Amino acid sequence: MENYKKIIEDIYFEVKNVNDIGKVANYIPELATVSSDNFGVNMTSIKKESFGVGNFDKKFSIQSISKVLSLTLAYRFEGAKLWNRVDVEPSGNPFNSLLQLEADLGKPRNPFINAGALVICDILISHLKNPKEDFLAFCRELSNNPTLSYNEKVAQSEKISGFRNIALCNFIKSFGNIKNNVETVLDFYFYTCSLEMSCKELSEIFLFLADDNFTTHKGNKVLTMSRAKRVNAILLTCGFYDESGEFAFRVGLPGKSGVGGGIVAIHPDKYCIVVWSPKLNKKGNSYKGMLFLEKFTTKTASSIF
Ligand code: GLU
C-alpha cells in the first residue's frame, strides 16, 4: 500500500485539474442534483489496508455497480443454472438497449446491462422472502457495514422516469423470462440501483472478488474461487456497457461502472480501487474515473495483463 499512496495522490491532483468533458446523468432527475465537482478515490488492499483522497468518504448513488452484488447473490442461489436465464456475452449496445432482446428471445446478453439485471432481480424475488430487506442485509454482511442503505429519493426518481426499464421488463416478460409481477421486479431493481456507498465502502465491499480467502465477519464464504473467477471475467468483458473493450484496453482490470459516476476496479489477489467523479462520457462511464484508472495502472504497471 505504501508504494501506491504517493502515486494515487499525484494522479488524483493531475486528473482533478483536467478539463472534464463529461456530463452528469440527468435522465434520472435526482442524479442531476449531485455536484459535478465531487472527485474521490479509495484503494483497499486484500490485507485490508485502505487509502483515500478527495471525496473518498462521501456516499453517492452506486447505480449499476449494484448489479455485481445482485448477480453475486443470485449466483449463490442458482449456481450454473443462472446462465440459462442470462448470457455472459458483451452486448456492444448501450446499457438500456431493447434491440438485441427481440433476436435473443428475451435472454439478456449479460447480467450487467439493465435487461440482465432485471432478470437477476426477478430470480432474487423468487428466492427471497423480503427482497429489499434481504438484499440489503446481504450487502451489509458482505461489507460488515450496518450503515449501508438505499436512497429513497433516488429510487422514487427512477420509478417516475424509468420508462425504458419498464419497457425492458415488460418485453422480457413477454418472452417468459420474467416470472414475477413486472411492478414488483421494477420496484426491487430501482431500489438496488439506489444503494449509496462511498468510494471507501465500495472498495471494502468488493474485496470478496479480489481475495480468494475472503470470508464475511460472520465467517461465510461469498463465492467459490471458480465462481469469483467467472464474475471477474464477466466484469472484464461486460462491466462498462459498450465501452468494455476500451476499458480493458486502457485500464486492464475487471470492473464495473454506474451512471452515478462511480467505477470499481479489481486487481485479483491485490486490491480493489474505486473512483467517483459524476460527469460521464458519451458511453455512460465516468470521464475522470477512466482517466484516473488508466494513469494508475500504467504508472504502477498493475493491470492483469
Ligand atoms: N438505474 C440506472 C438505470 O436503470 C442504472 C444505469 C447504470 O448505472 O448503468 O438506468
Short mmCIF file of all heavy atoms in Angstrom, two decimals, residues 67 83 118 154 216 235 276 278:
data_model
loop_
_atom_site.label_atom_id
_atom_site.label_comp_id
_atom_site.label_asym_id
_atom_site.label_seq_id
_atom_site.Cartn_x
_atom_site.Cartn_y
_atom_site.Cartn_z
N LYS A 67 -25.35 -4.05 -9.64
CA LYS A 67 -25.65 -5.25 -10.45
C LYS A 67 -24.68 -6.38 -10.14
O LYS A 67 -25.00 -7.55 -10.31
CB LYS A 67 -25.62 -4.91 -11.95
CG LYS A 67 -26.76 -3.95 -12.39
CD LYS A 67 -26.67 -3.63 -13.87
CE LYS A 67 -27.90 -2.95 -14.45
NZ LYS A 67 -28.10 -1.56 -14.15
N TRP A 83 -27.16 -19.28 -15.83
CA TRP A 83 -26.79 -18.91 -17.21
C TRP A 83 -27.83 -19.38 -18.24
O TRP A 83 -27.72 -19.09 -19.41
CB TRP A 83 -25.39 -19.42 -17.55
CG TRP A 83 -24.41 -19.12 -16.45
CD1 TRP A 83 -23.63 -20.00 -15.78
CD2 TRP A 83 -24.14 -17.82 -15.86
NE1 TRP A 83 -22.88 -19.36 -14.82
CE2 TRP A 83 -23.18 -18.03 -14.84
CE3 TRP A 83 -24.62 -16.52 -16.08
CZ2 TRP A 83 -22.68 -16.99 -14.04
CZ3 TRP A 83 -24.12 -15.48 -15.28
CH2 TRP A 83 -23.17 -15.73 -14.29
N LEU A 118 -32.48 -6.93 -14.59
CA LEU A 118 -33.91 -7.11 -14.29
C LEU A 118 -34.22 -8.59 -14.13
O LEU A 118 -34.96 -8.99 -13.22
CB LEU A 118 -34.76 -6.49 -15.41
CG LEU A 118 -34.81 -4.96 -15.40
CD1 LEU A 118 -35.29 -4.41 -16.74
CD2 LEU A 118 -35.71 -4.44 -14.27
N VAL A 154 -33.81 8.68 -4.64
CA VAL A 154 -33.28 8.21 -5.93
C VAL A 154 -34.18 7.10 -6.47
O VAL A 154 -34.53 7.08 -7.65
CB VAL A 154 -31.81 7.73 -5.79
CG1 VAL A 154 -31.32 7.07 -7.07
CG2 VAL A 154 -30.90 8.90 -5.42
N THR A 216 -16.87 -13.38 5.22
CA THR A 216 -17.52 -12.24 5.87
C THR A 216 -17.22 -12.28 7.37
O THR A 216 -16.70 -13.28 7.87
CB THR A 216 -19.05 -12.27 5.67
OG1 THR A 216 -19.57 -13.35 6.45
CG2 THR A 216 -19.44 -12.43 4.23
N LEU A 235 -17.01 -9.19 -15.55
CA LEU A 235 -16.72 -7.77 -15.30
C LEU A 235 -15.76 -7.23 -16.35
O LEU A 235 -15.90 -6.10 -16.83
CB LEU A 235 -16.12 -7.59 -13.90
CG LEU A 235 -17.11 -7.68 -12.74
CD1 LEU A 235 -16.38 -7.71 -11.41
CD2 LEU A 235 -18.08 -6.50 -12.76
N TRP A 276 -14.69 8.00 -7.96
CA TRP A 276 -16.01 8.63 -8.17
C TRP A 276 -15.84 10.04 -8.71
O TRP A 276 -15.18 10.88 -8.09
CB TRP A 276 -16.78 8.69 -6.84
CG TRP A 276 -18.08 9.45 -6.94
CD1 TRP A 276 -19.01 9.36 -7.93
CD2 TRP A 276 -18.58 10.42 -6.01
NE1 TRP A 276 -20.06 10.21 -7.67
CE2 TRP A 276 -19.83 10.87 -6.50
CE3 TRP A 276 -18.10 10.92 -4.80
CZ2 TRP A 276 -20.60 11.83 -5.83
CZ3 TRP A 276 -18.86 11.88 -4.14
CH2 TRP A 276 -20.10 12.31 -4.65
N PRO A 278 -18.76 12.45 -10.98
CA PRO A 278 -20.10 12.28 -11.59
C PRO A 278 -20.23 12.53 -13.08
O PRO A 278 -21.19 12.06 -13.69
CB PRO A 278 -20.97 13.28 -10.82
CG PRO A 278 -20.23 13.57 -9.57
CD PRO A 278 -18.77 13.44 -9.90
#
